[in-house]
């Protein structure tokens, strides 16, 4: 691929469309092994600018404008918990508007490069209720004016804590050695905690697009525990943020367990614009003859992926040693930077920046000897907190048909046939394919978010 030109097409489009399905798949998959998506490098520069400028730069600027944090003092970004607060809200707002992972060509948006808000703010477009008519007042698949108003309310609810002035935590309520701290007033999170779940009952796509299962817990515990009345309260709040972060990491790690994930790594690495072609090919057995994952891909998937996302977070959650915490935080930062460097399809760049940044904030900015799960003032509450946070990922990985949001790679397992699918669904799918002469399943109309009923 060039800087302003995409990689050359392996076959002319007019010829390609006349080829049998298997031949088209073979051509595209072997082309992907070397060139990935094949977009010009200028697009990757655009993504980097968006990631560092809009996501990180503007987010930090908003935090500094509404708190005592100095935008030009980089060290202060990591030592004031309010920055963690504000960035979580800011990134959720970017995601639901379409400026996050759903933005641009790598997510199928070319002209215009933004989707989400363009059709979620319009009545008549398609919506997807999570459990259909089984939940009263949520059935149907057409967006109404009520849904539009609810979505507008979600946007306003996210702007509210962003614009709110942070309140300083009194010095006597901070542990010894902790610098000045500020918190967003707890009540500022209440509107989004009410409206986003309601929105999710009407349209699960918006709930999922906002990465609600990861950002809403931060806001929930900020609302429940944000009224600081002593040093122990502040320690508890930071520790809960650590628990939320580690549950996200370990949930992602658990979702990588199984033979499916080694099939994910090679095409992901192939999409990296900076990765040498020789390194890309090492992840396949024999390009172009055998595109099954190699031992290198297996190692990257289950040692560099599964093991890292389970072992290091558990270590970080339990350690009280500053050196161990620093090494673990740097490992997670490197882990997220590597993922971002591959520009994976659906480009979750902002998410990776946030969690890499969070690792430094929570384990380097706050002394692990003080802010540790061991010092949680109400140990009895740890059980329901951990159970609540772990319930979604566990259920999502076991039953992605019921809870898709925490099962990060479970849909991939199901597509590869590694997750049991109901016999009726299998027979129905086979019957549909047979009726069409063996052609692959066509996407359902409800999956086209930009379609409008006439």
């Amino acid at each position: 691929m060039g800087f302003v030109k995409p990689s050359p097409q392996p076959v002319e489009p007019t010829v390609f469309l006349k080829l049998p399905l298997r031949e088209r798949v073979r051509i595209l998959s072997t082309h992907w092994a070397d060139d990935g998506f094949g977009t010009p490098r200028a697009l990757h520069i655009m993504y980097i600018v968006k990631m560092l400028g809009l996501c990180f730069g503007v987010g930090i600027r908003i935090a500094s404008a509404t708190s005592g944090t100095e935008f030009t003092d980089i060290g202060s970004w990591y030592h004031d918990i309010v920055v963690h607060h504000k960035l979580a809200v800011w990134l959720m707002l970017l995601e639901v508007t379409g400026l996050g992972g759903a933005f641009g060509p790598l997510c199928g948006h070319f002209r215009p490069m933004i989707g989400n808000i363009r059709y979620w703010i319009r009545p008549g477009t398609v919506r997807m209720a999570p459990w259909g008519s089984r939940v009263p007042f949520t059935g149907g698949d057409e967006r109404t004016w009520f849904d539009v108003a609810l979505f507008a309310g979600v946007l306003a609810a996210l702007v509210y804590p962003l614009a709110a002035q942070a309140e300083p935590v009194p010095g006597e309520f901070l542990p010894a050695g902790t610098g000045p701290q500020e918190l967003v007033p707890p009540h500022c999170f209440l509107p989004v905690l009410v409206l986003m779940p309601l929105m999710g009952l009407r349209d699960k796509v918006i709930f999922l697009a906002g990465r609600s299962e990861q950002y809403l817990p931060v806001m929930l515990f900020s609302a429940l525990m944000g009224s600081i009345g002593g040093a122990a309260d502040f320690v508890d709040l930071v520790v809960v943020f650590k628990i939320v972060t580690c549950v996200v990491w370990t949930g992602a790690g658990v979702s990588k367990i199984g033979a499916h994930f080694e099939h994910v790594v090679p095409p992901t690495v192939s999409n990296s614009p900076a990765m040498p072609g020789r390194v890309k090919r090492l992840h396949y057995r024999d390009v172009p003859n055998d595109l099954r994952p190699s031992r290198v891909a297996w190692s990257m998937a289950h040692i560099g992926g599964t093991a890292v996302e389970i072992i290091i977070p558990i270590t970080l959650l339990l350690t009280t040693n500053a050196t161990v915490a620093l090494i673990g935080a740097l490992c997670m930062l490197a882990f997220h930077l590597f993922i971002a460097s591959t520009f994976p399809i659906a480009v979750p760049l902002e998410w990776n920046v946030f969690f890499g940044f969070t690792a430094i904030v929570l384990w380097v900015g706050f002394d692990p000897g003080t802010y540790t799960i061991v010092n949680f003032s109400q140990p009895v509450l740890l059980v329901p907190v951990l159970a609540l946070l772990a319930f979604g990922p566990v259920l999502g990985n076991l039953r992605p048909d019921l809870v898709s949001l925490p099962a990060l790679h479970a849909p991939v397992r199901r597509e590869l046939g590694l997750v049991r699918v109901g016999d009726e669904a299998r027979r129905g799918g086979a019957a549909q394919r047979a009726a069409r002469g063996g052609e692959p399943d066509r996407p359902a109309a409800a999956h086209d978010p930009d379609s409008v009923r006439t």
Side-chain angles (χ1 to χ4, degrees):
M1 68 188 77
F3 185 75
V4 295
K5 291 184 178 180
S7 59
Q9 297 175 345
V11 178
E12 287 297 321
T14 53
V15 176
F16 179 81
L17 293 175
K18 296 177 182 179
L19 296 174
L21 175 63
R22 285 182 177 273
E23 182 64 12
R24 282 182 276 164
V25 171
R26 185 195 66 78
I27 291 172
L28 292 179
S29 57
T30 52
H31 180 68
W32 186 285
D34 287 319
D35 293 302
F37 198 56
T39 48
R41 296 188 189 278
L43 283 177
H44 298 101
I45 299 298
M46 176 194 69
Y47 274 110
I48 292 172
V49 171
K50 181 178 75 75
M51 175 176 61
L52 297 180
L54 181 62
C55 156
F56 204 65
V58 175
I60 296 291
R61 187 70 186 90
I62 290 173
S64 65
T66 54
S67 71
T69 306
E70 291 291 337
F71 181 67
T72 55
D73 182 9
I74 296 177
S76 67
W77 302 353
Y78 302 92
H79 292 91
D80 194 339
I81 200 66
V82 73
V83 177
H84 181 268
H85 269 165
K86 296 277 188 176
L87 273 182
V89 180
W90 172 240
L91 293 187
M92 193 175 196
L93 180 60
L94 290 183
E95 296 289 2
V96 295
T97 55
L99 289 167
F103 175 85
L106 291 181
C107 201
H109 292 129
F110 293 87
R111 292 183 181 178
M113 291 189 181
I114 185 173
N116 300 33
I117 196 172
R118 289 178 45 244
Y119 38 81
W120 293 341
I121 207 71
R122 289 155 48 197
T125 52
V126 172
R127 66 178 177 87
M128 296 180 68
W131 297 293
S133 58
R134 283 179 287 179
V135 179
F137 309 110
T138 65
D141 59 6
E142 182 174 347
R143 198 175 314 279
T144 66
W145 279 109
F146 173 78
D147 299 301
V148 171
L150 192 55
F151 178 65
V154 167
L155 297 179
L158 288 168
V159 171
Y160 182 34
L162 283 176
Q165 188 67 33
E167 297 177 347
V169 179
E172 63 268 24
F173 293 161
L174 295 173
T178 302
Q181 297 293 321
E182 297 166 283
L183 293 172
V184 176
H187 68 270
C188 294
F189 297 105
L190 297 179
V192 71
L193 289 171
V194 172
L195 293 177
M196 182 56 93
L198 289 177
M199 185 78 261
L201 289 173
R202 294 286 298 178
D203 189 349
K204 69 177 181 180
V205 176
I206 297 177
F207 187 90
L208 292 170
R211 299 185 184 272
S212 303
E213 78 283 2
Q214 298 172 36
Y215 296 136
L216 280 188
V218 174
M219 303 178 202
L220 173 63
F221 290 115
S222 296
L224 293 177
M225 306 172 67
S227 298
I228 305 300
D233 290 350
F234 188 77
V235 170
D236 288 352
L237 182 62
V238 175
V239 170
V240 165
F241 289 159
K242 288 187 175 186
I243 292 173
V244 171
T245 303
C246 287
V247 167
V248 172
W249 280 331
T250 54
V254 168
S255 75
K256 293 178 173 65
I257 295 175
H260 69 286
F261 190 63
E262 59 200 66
H263 293 266
V264 174
V265 171
T268 299
V269 172
S270 288
N271 201 48
S272 173
M275 196 71 69
R278 183 179 179 183
V279 176
K280 294 180 181 180
R281 289 190 165 220
L282 284 175
H283 291 77
Y284 303 90
R285 295 190 184 183
D286 180 23
V287 178
N289 303 310
D290 189 347
L291 297 186
R292 288 177 296 173
S294 67
R295 298 302 296 177
V296 173
W298 184 94
S299 300
M300 288 288 291
H302 298 300
I303 298 176
T306 308
V308 164
E309 278 195 299
I310 294 177
I311 295 174
I312 293 181
I314 292 175
T315 302
L316 285 173
L317 192 59
L318 299 177
T319 188
T320 58
N321 184 283
T323 302
V324 172
L326 174 61
I327 294 173
L330 290 176
C331 286
M332 294 311 297
L333 175 61
F335 176 82
H336 286 292
L337 289 178
F338 172 76
I339 295 174
S341 74
T342 65
F343 293 87
I345 298 301
V347 277
L349 302 181
E350 287 75 14
W351 181 87
N352 280 286
V353 169
F354 177 72
F355 275 88
F357 175 75
T358 290
I360 303 299
V361 170
L362 296 180
W363 279 275
V364 179
F366 293 88
D367 177 24
T370 301
Y371 297 91
T372 173
I373 197 169
V374 176
N375 292 337
F376 200 82
S377 67
Q378 303 178 63
V380 69
L381 292 180
L382 283 178
V383 175
V385 167
L386 287 169
L388 175 66
L389 292 172
F391 175 76
V394 171
L395 180 61
N397 280 287
L398 294 175
R399 292 294 304 274
D401 56 317
L402 293 178
V403 184
S404 60
L405 55 101
L408 303 182
H409 299 285
V412 179
R413 292 208 302 274
R414 181 163 53 183
E415 292 302 321
L416 290 172
L418 299 174
V419 170
R420 291 183 59 189
V421 182
D423 289 338
E424 290 186 18
R426 283 201 297 270
R427 285 196 296 267
Q432 291 177 4
R433 287 192 293 274
R436 293 195 298 268
E439 285 296 313
D441 292 335
R442 298 186 180 93
H447 288 215
D448 180 9
D450 211 11
S451 63
V452 182
R453 292 179 178 272
T454 56

